[in-house]
Amino acid sequence: MTATQGDIDREIARGRAAYEEAVAGGVPRTHHPARNYPPYRSSALRHPKRPPILVALERDPEAVELASPVFGETDVTELDNDLTRQHPGEPLGERITVSGRLLDRAGHPVRGQLIEIWQANAAGRYAHQRDQHSAPLDPHFTGVGRTLTDDDGGYAFTTIRPGAYPWRNHTGAWRPAHIHFSLFGAAFTQRLITQMYFPGDPLFARDPILQSVTDEAARQRLVARYDHDLSQPEWSLGYHWDIVLDGPTATWIEEGR
C-alpha cells in the first residue's frame, strides 16, 4: 500500500528523535544521511550494498572518462552560466542570480573547478524525456549550465527560480524548489553532487530527501540565503550559497545515490 504524507511525516519524526537521542548519548553528529533512509523509499533499492569495483586505471587511466556526462561539447564560455540566454526568447519565471564560493575545510578557495547545475523550470518540470509531469515545458529554458570557479573560488549563475514538482515517493509527495550542483574536481572520478534549496520553503519538513540529513545544522547548510546586494534592480533576485567540500562544516554530498 502506498504511504501517505502523514506516514512519511511520522517516519521522519521517529528518525530525527532517534538521531537526537543517540547524539545526547554521546554518538558524534553525522553530516551525511544513511544511504538507505526509509522515508526516501527508492533509496532501499538504489543505495550500494557491495564494495566499489576497482577500475584498472594503471592499464587505461582515461577509460573512466569516456562515458562521463558533461553539459557541453566545447570549452566553458562566458554564456554557459546564464541559463536565461541559451535560447532566442526569454524563459518564463522569476529570474535569479545564485553566487557563492567553493571552499575546502580550512575555508581556502578551490580555484578553477568545473561546476555544473541542472534544474526544473518555473513550472516544476525538467527538460528530460523521463519527466512526464503534466506541468508545461518552457521552449526557452533547458535548465542546465556550467562555470569555472575563479581565483577566489567564486562562481555565479543567472537562472530562473525552479518550481516544486511531484515525485511519487508517496501519496502527495512534492519536492521543494532546488538546484542540483555537480562539482567535478580534477577528474570525473572525483565528481560530487549536492542540492541547493531556497529559504522559507513550506515543503522542507515534508521532503524525505532533505530530511534524510538528520542533523539540523548540516541541513541548514543546504539552504541558500537571500542576498539583496546580489539582486539587480528590475532584473533578478540574489541568493548566496557557499559549498564546503569537507570537514566539520561540509556541504551534504549525495554519496552513493
Side-chain angles (χ1 to χ4, degrees), residues 13-44:
R14 286 195 297 268
R16 186 179 304 158
Y19 171 76
E20 294 298 340
E21 183 179 354
V23 169
V27 175
R29 290 190 174 274
T30 56
H31 302 287
H32 293 279
R35 291 176 174 176
N36 59 337
Y37 183 67
Y40 182 3
R41 290 294 192 256
S42 61
S43 67

Side-chain angles (χ1 to χ4, degrees), residues 1-12 14 39 41:
M1 184 174 68
T2 303
T4 66
Q5 183 66 62
D7 295 330
I8 295 297
D9 290 346
R10 286 186 286 273
E11 287 185 32
I12 290 172
R14 286 195 297 268
R41 290 294 192 256

Side-chain angles (χ1 to χ4, degrees), residues 47-86:
H47 77 283
K49 298 178 182 178
R50 298 180 181 179
I53 297 174
L54 296 177
V55 178
L57 296 180
E58 68 279 1
R59 293 200 302 269
D60 188 359
E62 296 183 358
V64 75
E65 304 291 329
L66 298 179
S68 304
V70 292
F71 295 138
E73 299 177 352
T74 63
D75 292 340
V76 177
T77 72
E78 61 180 10
L79 294 180
D80 285 356
N81 68 337
D82 190 339
L83 284 66
T84 69
R85 300 173 61 190
Q86 298 173 346

Side-chain angles (χ1 to χ4, degrees), residues 111-236:
R111 306 176 179 88
Q113 297 300 297
L114 176 63
I115 298 180
E116 295 185 336
I117 64 171
W118 67 98
Q119 63 169 93
N121 65 21
R125 186 168 175 182
Y126 289 95
H128 193 283
Q129 62 182 0
R130 293 187 62 184
D131 188 348
Q132 297 301 311
H133 178 205
S134 61
L137 289 169
D138 186 341
H140 302 301
F141 189 76
T142 306
V144 298
R146 57 184 184 158
T147 191
L148 295 173
T149 57
D150 60 23
D151 287 343
D152 196 37
Y155 73 88
F157 289 97
T158 300
T159 185
I160 296 297
R161 178 164 175 155
Y165 60 82
W167 64 298
R168 297 183 179 178
N169 181 75
H170 53 274
T171 300
W174 287 81
R175 296 266 12 246
H178 60 279
I179 297 176
H180 299 268
F181 276 69
S182 168
L183 317 164
F184 268 87
F188 182 73
T189 50
Q190 300 174 349
R191 186 183 188 219
L192 301 175
I193 298 173
T194 186
Q195 298 179 20
M196 185 206 85
Y197 297 85
F198 295 86
D201 196 311
L203 292 172
F204 282 166
R206 301 183 179 275
D207 179 46
I209 294 182
L210 179 59
Q211 294 300 323
S212 69
V213 185
T214 50
D215 189 78
E216 173 67 19
R219 194 162 58 247
Q220 289 303 318
R221 290 197 294 272
L222 295 175
V223 182
R225 63 176 173 84
Y226 173 71
D227 189 336
H228 199 70
D229 290 336
L230 286 176
S231 299
Q232 300 180 39
E234 302 181 31
W235 178 254
S236 69

